[in-house]
């Protein structure tokens, strides 16, 4: 059996632990380097000048945008067009034109009526005289019929009263005979029924006679009242003047409708012009463009959409840059905050470096300008950040610079 040297045992342990210790230190260094590198970010930024927002001056439909992103524009250049006549106003315009056509047609119709009006009035005069005579005859016939009805009822009542008196006498005789058992009760009932029926008939005829006498009085009263009426024939001149007034009313209506249509035409198109010379950095009328929107700014508008007065349409940055806009990727989210120190690196001669802080961070991921895409055919998205250009750093609008966190 081999003898173990106890005195050399600690040395052997140290000999085996040393490589393990070195390896652990190396791993920790590597992890620290990667961790430090992950906490840093490097992105490209673009310098831009003071931004002038161009908003809609009235409510309307955005019909066209004449410029593209990052295009240079001159002060006073037309950038977009708004059609202020909306769909509901187009309906109003169509209604106005319909009313105008109707008014013109009415004027033509009234003018054509001036010539035959006199003949029509003469014919109406003759008709009124004929109708007056016809009405008078009708009233007289009504009175004659009422008088005949009165006479007929009087004769009928007188005849029935004679028969009623005979039946009354016969009823009394039958009652006396019945007491003496000379007739059967049936005979008394028969006579009594005839008497009551005739009595009711007389009463009804007397009511009808009273109504007929009232009708006769009313018929005679209508004749007297109608006879006192005098036929009134409107003058031809008066009728023609009425037509002329109606024509003048329609002419005034045509004048007012034409003024309203002219007002719609005069304000149909509103042009939005560049307030200053610069570079277009935001077009909110293009469906494929997105730009940094600070809190409170309007949402993106598309060509063809209705915009309200005050809605932001596009933005122009002046040639002299005042800030740098950059975008951080999803993997870099959370590595930058407002007031985070960064270093700006300008590679264009003369090369410059400057240290400053992040001034603003956008709330959402947005589509980056094409100029900042790594691959021109692959769109990129990022969280926008804004950095004010420090003093002494000479940049031109649209220039790309490197941004590195400190």
């Amino acid at each position: 059996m081999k003898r173990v040297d106890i005195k050399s045992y600690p040395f052997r342990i140290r000999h085996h632990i040393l490589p393990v210790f070195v390896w652990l230190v190396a791993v920790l260094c590597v992890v620290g380097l990667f961790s430090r590198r992950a906490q840093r970010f490097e992105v490209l930024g673009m310098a831009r000048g003071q931004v002038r927002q161009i908003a809609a001056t009235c409510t309307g439909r955005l019909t066209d945008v004449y410029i593209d992103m990052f295009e240079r524009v001159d002060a006073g250049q037309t950038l977009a067009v708004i059609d202020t006549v909306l769909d509901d106003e187009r309906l109003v315009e169509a209604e106005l034109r319909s009313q105008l056509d109707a008014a013109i047609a009415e004027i033509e119709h009234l003018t054509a009526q001036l010539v035959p009006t006199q003949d029509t009035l003469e014919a109406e005069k003759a008709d009124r005289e004929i109708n007056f005579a016809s009405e008078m005859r009708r009233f007289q016939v009504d009175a004659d019929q009422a008088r005949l009805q009165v006479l007929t009822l009087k004769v009928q009542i007188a005849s029935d009263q004679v028969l009623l008196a005979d039946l009354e006498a016969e009823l009394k005789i039958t009652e006396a005979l019945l007491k003496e058992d000379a007739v059967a009760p049936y005979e008394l009932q028969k006579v009594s029924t005839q008497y009551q029926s005739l009595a009711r008939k007389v009463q009804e005829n007397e009511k009808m006679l009273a109504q007929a006498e009232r009708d006769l009085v009313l018929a005679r009263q209508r004749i007297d009242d109608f006879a006192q009426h005098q036929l009134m024939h409107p003058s031809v001149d008066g009728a023609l003047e009425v037509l002329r007034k109606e024509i003048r009313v329609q002419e005034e209506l045509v004048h007012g409708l034409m003024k309203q249509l002219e007002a719609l035409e005069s304000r149909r198109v509103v042009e939005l012009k560049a307030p200053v010379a610069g570079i277009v950095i935001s077009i909110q009328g293009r469906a494929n463009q997105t730009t940094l929107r600070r809190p409170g700014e309007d949402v993106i508008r598309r060509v063809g959409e209705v915009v309200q007065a005050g809605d932001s349409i596009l933005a122009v940055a002046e040639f002299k840059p005042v800030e740098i806009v950059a975008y951080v990727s999803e993997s870099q989210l959370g590595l930058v905050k407002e007031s985070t120190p960064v270093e700006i690196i300008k590679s264009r001669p003369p090369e410059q470096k400057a240290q400053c802080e992040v001034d603003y961070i956008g709330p959402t991921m947005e589509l980056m300008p094409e100029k900042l895409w790594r691959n021109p055919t692959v769109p990129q998205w990022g969280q926008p950040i804004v950095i004010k250009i420090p003093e002494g750093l000479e940049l031109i609008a649209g220039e790309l610079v490197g941004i590195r966190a400190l």
Side-chain angles (χ1 to χ4, degrees):
M1 182 175 178
K2 188 176 179 180
R3 184 179 180 184
V4 179
D5 189 357
I6 298 177
K7 295 182 179 179
S8 62
Y9 186 71
F11 174 77
R12 292 180 180 181
I13 294 176
R14 289 195 300 269
H15 178 74
H16 289 290
I17 292 177
L18 183 60
V20 176
F21 178 77
V22 173
W23 181 81
L24 290 175
V25 171
V27 170
L28 291 175
C29 290
V30 171
V31 171
L33 290 175
F34 274 103
S35 176
R36 180 176 177 82
R37 184 174 181 180
Q39 293 177 357
R40 297 169 60 86
F41 69 93
E42 294 183 2
V43 295
L44 282 179
M46 182 174 60
R48 70 179 185 185
Q50 184 176 0
V51 178
R52 299 293 186 91
Q53 295 290 337
I54 300 173
T57 58
C58 58
T59 300
R61 189 178 300 279
L62 184 64
T63 59
D64 205 351
V65 177
Y66 295 131
I67 41 83
D68 294 322
M69 285 287 290
F70 307 112
E71 181 177 337
R72 291 175 175 265
V73 295
D74 298 325
Q77 179 179 342
T78 300
L79 305 181
V81 173
I82 296 176
D83 187 353
T84 61
V85 180
L86 302 178
D87 292 339
D88 55 345
E89 291 181 314
R90 292 185 190 280
L91 295 176
V92 172
E93 182 180 6
E95 180 65 22
L96 291 176
R97 293 191 181 279
S98 177
Q99 294 179 12
L100 180 62
D101 295 339
I104 293 175
E106 183 65 16
I107 290 175
E108 294 175 352
H109 173 73
L110 293 173
T111 303
Q113 293 299 315
L114 289 174
V115 176
T117 297
Q118 184 174 359
D119 295 338
T120 302
L121 291 176
E122 292 295 335
E124 291 176 353
K125 178 180 178 181
D127 291 340
R128 281 191 291 271
E129 291 175 351
I130 294 173
N131 292 335
F132 183 82
S134 298
E135 288 292 324
M136 178 60 75
R137 286 194 297 270
R138 186 173 66 81
F139 290 148
Q140 290 174 350
V141 169
D142 292 342
D144 292 340
Q145 290 178 346
R147 184 170 60 254
L148 179 60
Q149 179 71 9
V150 170
L151 294 175
T152 301
L153 290 173
K154 285 182 177 180
V155 171
Q156 184 66 40
I157 291 172
S159 177
D160 291 341
Q161 285 176 345
V162 172
L163 293 176
L164 186 63
D166 292 342
L167 288 174
E168 184 180 4
E170 185 179 355
L171 180 62
K172 291 179 179 181
I173 293 172
T174 304
E175 288 175 349
L177 293 175
L178 181 62
K179 290 179 179 180
E180 297 174 359
D181 294 330
V183 294
Y186 169 75
E187 294 296 333
L188 177 61
Q189 183 179 3
K190 179 180 178 182
V191 174
S192 177
T193 301
Q194 292 177 350
Y195 177 80
Q196 292 175 359
S197 176
L198 186 59
R200 286 194 297 271
K201 181 180 178 182
V202 171
Q203 290 178 356
E204 292 176 355
N205 287 337
E206 287 176 347
K207 292 179 180 179
M208 294 175 62
L209 176 60
Q211 181 63 43
E213 289 175 345
R214 290 194 294 270
D215 292 341
L216 178 60
V217 173
L218 292 176
R220 289 173 177 174
Q221 184 65 38
R222 282 196 295 269
I223 291 174
D224 295 339
D225 294 341
F226 191 75
Q228 294 177 2
H229 292 169
Q230 295 182 356
L231 288 176
M232 301 296 295
H233 302 292
S235 65
V236 175
D237 292 338
L240 294 179
E241 182 61 25
V242 171
L243 289 175
R244 295 188 184 99
K245 288 182 178 179
E246 292 180 356
I247 291 174
R248 287 194 293 270
V249 169
Q250 294 298 323
E251 289 175 345
E252 290 295 329
L253 178 59
V254 168
H255 183 67
L257 292 173
M258 292 184 66
K259 278 190 172 182
Q260 294 182 53
L261 289 172
E262 290 174 357
L264 285 175
E265 290 293 336
S266 63
R267 65 179 184 86
R268 177 180 293 275
V269 176
V270 173
E271 296 181 348
L272 300 181
K273 300 180 181 295
V276 294
I279 298 176
V280 177
I281 62 168
S282 168
I283 302 177
Q284 297 187 353
R286 296 290 172 85
N288 63 341
Q289 297 290 352
T290 307
T291 187
L292 176 62
R293 287 179 284 128
R294 298 179 185 272
E297 291 184 353
D298 295 327
V299 297
I300 294 176
R301 301 289 175 180
R302 308 287 194 266
V303 171
E305 286 188 358
V306 175
V307 295
Q308 303 293 328
D311 287 348
S312 180
I313 304 301
L314 45 83
V316 175
E318 296 181 353
F319 288 121
K320 184 179 179 181
V322 295
E323 60 187 12
I324 298 172
V325 180
Y327 295 81
V328 295
S329 63
E330 292 184 2
S331 62
Q332 299 169 331
L333 292 178
L335 299 181
V336 60
K337 297 180 175 59
E338 291 185 3
S339 302
T340 297
V342 294
E343 183 179 40
I344 309 299
I345 303 172
K346 185 187 78 169
S347 58
R348 176 180 60 86
E351 296 182 0
Q352 289 182 290
K353 294 183 180 180
Q355 295 183 0
C356 52
E357 296 179 349
V358 175
D359 183 60
Y360 169 77
I361 300 178
T364 60
M365 299 292 289
E366 298 183 3
L367 182 64
M368 298 167 54
E370 295 182 15
K371 195 173 183 180
L372 298 179
W373 295 356
R374 294 190 183 91
N375 187 339
T377 61
V378 180
Q380 278 187 262
W381 292 72
Q383 185 181 27
I385 62 174
V386 177
I387 302 170
K388 290 184 179 179
I389 298 177
E391 295 183 4
L393 187 60
E394 297 179 0
L395 299 175
I396 62 175
E399 183 176 356
L400 299 181
V401 297
I403 303 173
R404 183 174 60 190
L406 296 178

